[in-house]
Amino acid sequence: MQHFKTPTFIIHLAGWLLFLSFPILFINHEQVDQNNLMLLASPYYWLFCLTYIIIFYFNALVLVPRLMFKKRYLFYILSVLLLFSFVYYAQPYDKLLGHNRNMIGVFGRPGEVPPSGFNKPPQMVDDTSAKPVLQMPFGPLPHEGLRMQDPNFGRNNPFLDFRRPIKIDIISLFLFFMIMGLSIATCTVQRWQNAESKVIKAEADKAIAELSFLKAQINPHFLFNTLNNIYTLSVINSEHTSESIMKLSNIMRYVTDDVVQDFVPLNDEINCIKDYIELQRLRLGSNSEINFHIVGSADGKQIGPLIFMTFIENAFKYGVSKIEKPVINIHLEIEDRKINFTCENKIYNNTTKLERAGIGIANTQRRLNHLYPDQFKLNIKQYNSSFLVELCLNC
């Protein structure tokens, strides 16, 4: 049997408590001054309730999943007809109503003595004396002949008493169709919710896997470029080589240990950017102008790791020339619920692209779509001989 979650269990429990109160309300409306405790103690009351409870869960847990959802419609229709026939002949509501009438008496409350003469059998009237017998061309019908011999013949036999109408328990049949409809609706909604949750989980798993893959691509790309910078310093025997290795160590610790989560403190991201810029300054020397300005406080702010690093890397990758003095401007403005980042560098046509093509801006945009859906604005433009990146994040 399927296990229900807590909210679903509460909904089912409340629904069945409401259903259990229906017979009390209906019978109280029809039979005044009855004792509700007497009705609750009646076995017919619990037989009535259990009948529809069993039908509901049998249809919801067995028939619909195994027959209807598997497109075995013929077997499902036959099963429903069998349940319908059972309710049609069992008449649970009429039996409950009749039993309750017998318990409270026809003329009053339980325990009252019926009026005198109530136990007398009714006087039977001979049908032959009450009205003339219809003469048939070939004589009376067989059952009419027997009735002429025995006036009481057929009165207690529903198959021979043609004047007795067939009684149908309308309320029981109505409840049957209502319970079947509710059980089908419940199964359909639950199946739709399960399918939707599986789709959402699959999309979330895909997004997480894709984000992890992109992050794994970014980290080696960033570290390889930094190692190339230190290699250049070691070749020229720079006195800043050891300092560069220490800064690289800080960056590697941040990249490998601190950016496991999707969001990191903004202060840690800024420290990583400062170390990277210092490494670039050591490599370029005094023949460069690198401006990094921060406006506002980063305390308590979080950001996706290495979001800004792609644009900063590109600025040092394509905005440096051996002929002209490179100028790179990086500005970070921190507001209460917004972070504005700009990075501007000059483009040199004679820049040689020694490094292999990295993941670039396209993958950074994909990371932004994962981390900040509809919460960022990225504007990348090229004017004259400059390249400008403007990024606004809502945090």
Side-chain angles (χ1 to χ4, degrees), residues 88-102:
Y88 179 83
Y89 287 105
Q91 299 181 349
Y93 183 79
D94 273 0
K95 288 185 177 179
L96 172 63
L97 191 63
H99 179 264
N100 193 68
R101 283 174 175 171
N102 293 334

Side-chain angles (χ1 to χ4, degrees), residues 123-137:
Q123 298 294 330
M124 305 303 296
V125 180
D126 191 358
D127 290 345
T128 57
S129 61
K131 59 180 180 179
V133 180
L134 180 62
Q135 298 295 331
M136 302 299 293

Side-chain angles (χ1 to χ4, degrees), residues 10 13 37 81 115 151 153 178 181 191 213 232 249 273 374 377:
I10 295 175
L13 181 61
L37 295 178
L81 290 178
F153 174 77
M178 183 183 71
R191 186 186 189 191
F213 176 72
T232 303
S249 175
I273 294 175
D374 300 326
K377 292 181 180 179

Side-chain angles (χ1 to χ4, degrees), residues 146-376:
L146 295 174
R147 188 183 297 277
M148 293 173 61
Q149 300 177 9
D150 185 4
N152 295 324
F153 174 77
R155 292 185 182 272
N156 297 323
N157 193 335
F159 297 100
L160 297 178
D161 190 0
F162 297 100
R163 295 178 303 173
R164 181 179 179 181
I166 300 176
K167 187 176 181 181
I168 300 177
D169 190 354
I170 300 297
I171 296 180
S172 294
L173 297 181
F174 171 77
L175 291 176
F176 170 78
F177 287 112
M178 183 183 71
I179 290 296
M180 292 295 291
L182 288 176
S183 62
I184 294 175
T186 301
C187 289
T188 304
V189 171
Q190 188 175 5
R191 186 186 189 191
W192 174 75
Q193 290 177 345
N194 291 336
E196 187 179 17
S197 64
K198 289 180 180 179
V199 172
I200 294 175
K201 186 178 183 300
E203 291 179 354
D205 292 341
K206 180 182 178 182
I208 293 173
E210 188 175 14
L211 185 59
S212 300
F213 176 72
L214 294 175
K215 190 185 296 182
Q217 283 185 307
I218 288 176
N219 296 343
H221 179 74
F222 167 72
L223 293 176
F224 290 154
N225 286 340
T226 306
L227 285 174
N228 287 334
N229 296 336
I230 296 179
Y231 172 76
T232 303
L233 293 176
S234 64
V235 169
I236 62 176
N237 294 322
S238 173
E239 60 182 4
H240 301 292
T241 303
S242 59
E243 182 181 356
S244 300
I245 295 175
M246 180 59 65
K247 292 184 180 297
L248 177 61
S249 175
N250 295 333
I251 295 175
M252 291 182 63
R253 186 180 298 107
Y254 172 75
V255 169
T256 56
D257 296 338
D258 298 339
V259 298
V260 178
Q261 303 297 327
D262 292 335
F263 293 91
V264 296
L266 182 57
N267 282 322
D268 294 346
E269 185 74 10
I270 292 175
N271 292 331
C272 180
I273 294 175
K274 288 180 179 180
D275 289 338
Y276 180 81
I277 292 176
E278 290 299 322
L279 287 176
Q280 296 294 342
R281 282 177 177 166
L282 292 174
R283 180 178 68 91
L284 298 175
S286 60
N287 189 26
S288 62
E289 182 179 349
I290 304 173
N291 302 314
F292 181 39
H293 300 287
I294 301 175
V295 179
S297 176
D299 295 338
K301 302 289 184 180
Q302 288 192 330
I303 192 173
L306 305 177
I307 288 294
F308 303 139
M309 192 58 64
T310 299
F311 308 113
I312 297 175
E313 274 190 296
N314 287 335
F316 285 100
K317 185 176 180 180
Y318 303 113
V320 175
S321 173
K322 296 180 180 180
I323 300 175
E324 300 181 19
K325 181 179 180 179
V327 179
I328 299 175
N329 296 315
I330 303 171
H331 183 75
L332 186 63
E333 183 179 358
I334 305 170
E335 300 178 2
D336 290 338
R337 297 184 178 180
K338 187 179 296 184
I339 299 176
N340 296 315
F341 169 82
T342 58
C343 183
E344 183 180 8
N345 64 277
K346 189 175 181 181
I347 299 177
Y348 298 99
N349 295 327
N350 59 348
T351 301
T352 57
K353 301 179 181 180
L354 298 178
E355 298 88 357
R356 63 184 180 88
I359 61 171
I361 297 175
N363 283 343
T364 303
Q365 290 177 329
R366 295 171 64 186
R367 291 190 65 208
L368 289 170
N369 289 328
H370 286 305
L371 297 176
Y372 300 93
D374 300 326
Q375 297 293 324
F376 76 95

